Amino acid sequence: MFRPRTLQGRYARTAYLFLLPAILFFAAFFYLPIGNVVATGFRTGPMADQWAGLDNYGQALSDPAVRHSFLVTAGFAVMVVAGSIVIGLALAMAIDQPLRGRVLFRVLLLVPYLTSVAIVGLLWRNILDPELGVLNRVLGAMGLPGQTWLNTAPLLTIAAVTLWQSVGYTMVLFLAGLQGIPETYHEAAKIDGADAWRRFWRITLPLLAPTTLFVSVMAVISGLQAFGQAYIITGGGPGDATDLSVFHIFNVAFRTRDFGYSSAQSVLLLIVIVAFTLVQLRAGRRGEVTY
């Protein structure tokens, strides 16, 4: 049996032994499924048992329905990313002030994030129901006409629901970033005559660049992978207005039973997500150097 001769080797062996359960977990439930999806993307047939080569990928790149679902997803992701940064930062700056009840307010904002997408989707589908929804009943009690929320602006609606659920998490991240900024910077700026708006643009925002980068990367990944909102709240409708990419892949796999074609689309979506993430990280590093 091999035994490390140096103390460093023994530490390394012990570290790998502790990491072994996590490595096996990721291999079994992450890397192997990804490899299986990649392999299935090269096959066709009801049981994905016939070799197709790159046909599935070529079909996906030329399919108008795939392009439409990606454009819908891109629009959804843009709204989620912009809302996460703007609303999350605004809430964090408000809670960072010495206000009474801010701890309770922070907890209330974080509760939706701890709730599953299925529960949130069912909750808001009932709230927005045009006939029995609570929101239209409130509008009716105020003498205002009810709205068909899921038909008027369905993509904006599910983006707003997504923000309602996730903005508490981004608020906590920005709050941690704000509390990590030394107060001496703001005090020195006040002495120099800088007002609150100038301090925000010259001190707060640049020093929050790492937090903003992390929030934007996570929001892009979450937005491009969104599924439950379309599946539960709108069913991809009206028409294909909320046909998000993962929802479209789900329909191809489990309704048309074309697992090879759906796997190819999944691989292409994974490539897009990785590409966007790398571009954001590279741009963020350049921004940190600039600051």
Side-chain angles (χ1 to χ4, degrees), residues 139-226:
L139 292 176
M142 298 172 60
L144 299 174
Q147 303 292 325
T148 53
W149 303 99
L150 299 179
N151 292 329
T152 305
L155 190 63
L156 179 62
T157 300
I158 64 172
V161 171
T162 302
L163 286 172
W164 177 84
Q165 182 184 15
S166 62
V167 75
Y169 175 65
T170 59
M171 177 268 298
V172 170
L173 294 176
F174 277 120
L175 183 61
L178 288 171
Q179 294 177 348
I181 299 176
E183 188 62 30
T184 54
Y185 293 174
H186 292 281
E187 294 175 355
K190 288 180 183 179
I191 295 174
D192 291 339
D195 56 12
W197 186 249
R198 196 176 184 85
R199 293 198 305 272
F200 171 76
W201 283 104
R202 297 293 185 179
I203 298 176
T204 304
L205 202 57
L207 292 178
L208 284 177
T211 304
T212 304
L213 174 63
F214 179 78
V215 169
S216 63
V217 169
M218 297 303 296
V220 167
I221 295 174
S222 176
L224 293 178
Q225 290 181 331

Side-chain angles (χ1 to χ4, degrees), residues 125-144:
R125 189 177 69 179
N126 292 328
I127 291 175
L128 299 174
D129 187 273
E131 300 295 333
L132 304 175
V134 176
L135 189 55
N136 276 351
R137 289 188 177 185
V138 173
L139 292 176
M142 298 172 60
L144 299 174

Side-chain angles (χ1 to χ4, degrees), residues 41-123:
F42 293 103
R43 298 182 176 276
T44 187
M47 300 299 294
D49 54 356
Q50 303 173 19
W51 180 256
L54 296 174
D55 292 347
N56 288 328
Y57 293 93
Q59 181 182 350
L61 293 174
S62 61
D63 190 343
V66 175
R67 290 199 297 268
H68 171 77
S69 67
F70 178 75
L71 291 176
V72 171
T73 307
F76 174 82
V78 168
M79 288 187 283
V80 170
V81 172
S84 297
I85 294 175
V86 174
I87 300 175
L89 179 56
L91 290 174
M93 295 186 68
I95 293 179
D96 195 37
Q97 304 302 318
L99 301 175
R100 182 175 300 177
R102 61 177 182 174
V103 175
L104 176 62
F105 189 53
R106 186 189 312 175
V107 172
L108 293 176
L109 283 173
L110 197 57
V111 167
Y113 177 75
L114 303 176
T115 308
S116 70
V117 175
I119 295 176
V120 170
L122 291 173
L123 172 67

